[in-house]
Amino acid sequence: MYKFYFLLFVLSLTFASCRNEEGEGGSSSVQGYVYKIIHSDNNYSLQTDTVPASKEDIYIIYGDDEFYGDDEKAGANGFFQFKYLREGDYKLFAYSSLSDGIKNAVTTSVHLGNHKTVVADTIFIHTGDAYGKSIVKGQIYVNYYHKGDLVAYAQAGVDQRVYICYHGENIPFDDVKAGLNGEFGFEKLKPGTYDIFVITENPDTEAQSSIKQTITVSHTDTIYTLPNTFTISVAV
């Protein structure tokens, strides 16, 4: 009787040790597609272009492992496949690339049955200078004076300089010239609070001062419009 129970104990240990975890050595596979969303400077429209992410690295994590177990490069049409996997749970990921050099992993999860091929959710990664940032737009008009007398009223402020600084600071980190219709915009702004200002002149003394508006950028991939139009005076 003791020999019988001992044999059962040994068999249970044998089966436990033979139980396969996630990883290579099976007959299942996972496949899918990865696409790249390109965020480029595009005249304040935030339009994007989505293309197959050919030659991008796709990584797979086996079960609860802390590190990826294998990687593949996506083909010309963004297709990838991991073969010869055991039954279990897997994570797939690829990296979005930020303009400041930081990478973010975009992840999807799948469960594989035995002798099965599973199609994973499509992975969309992001790249480009405008990724994860927003735009602030505005408009400027000019009243022109000559020797204190108004000679032109509410003209589009073409080529007028507009400045931006972090809220509470006095030194601008960027400036732009207004274009047609006096419109201007600051691209690639991270979430935060900003002061946007222009320079105006006293019609009589020609002394200069600033007109400022404050705006908070709360979200990425968003176009913000200043609540008020700038109107400045210029002596000619």
Side-chain angles (χ1 to χ4, degrees), residues 24-183:
E24 297 179 351
S27 58
S28 298
S29 64
V30 57
Q31 62 188 39
Y33 290 86
V34 57
Y35 286 91
K36 181 184 297 184
I37 302 176
I38 302 173
H39 304 252
S40 58
D41 295 342
N42 44 41
N43 196 26
Y44 320 134
S45 67
L46 286 180
Q47 292 180 348
T48 58
D49 188 20
T50 302
V51 299
S54 61
K55 299 183 179 180
E56 287 290 338
D57 290 317
I58 314 300
Y59 303 88
I60 187 167
I61 297 175
Y62 304 146
D64 295 326
D65 289 353
E66 295 184 8
F67 304 99
Y68 72 89
D70 197 7
D71 64 277
E72 294 281 345
K73 284 192 179 294
N77 59 351
F79 178 80
F80 64 88
Q81 185 175 31
F82 293 93
K83 298 180 179 179
Y84 313 118
L85 299 174
R86 302 190 187 107
E87 182 178 358
D89 297 312
Y90 295 83
K91 295 184 182 69
L92 305 163
F93 68 93
Y95 284 112
S96 291
S97 299
L98 284 70
S99 58
D100 54 11
I102 298 176
K103 292 186 175 183
N104 284 343
V106 180
T107 306
T108 187
S109 299
V110 296
H111 176 78
L112 298 184
N114 196 23
H115 309 294
K116 298 290 185 180
T117 296
V118 173
V119 178
D121 291 338
T122 300
I123 297 174
F124 292 93
I125 60 175
H126 300 260
T127 188
D129 290 342
Y131 170 56
K133 301 177 178 66
S134 289
I135 292 169
V136 171
K137 296 174 59 177
Q139 198 167 21
I140 181 171
Y141 289 97
V142 181
N143 295 329
Y144 290 98
Y145 290 83
H146 181 68
K147 295 183 178 179
D149 295 325
L150 181 64
V151 295
Y153 173 73
Q155 302 296 301
V158 179
D159 287 337
Q160 292 295 322
R161 188 76 64 176
V162 186
Y163 304 87
I164 184 171
C165 61
Y166 298 109
H167 181 57
E169 297 184 2
N170 295 322
I171 300 175
F173 62 84
D174 196 10
D175 61 84
V176 296
K177 283 186 176 182
L180 297 177
N181 301 320
E183 295 179 345

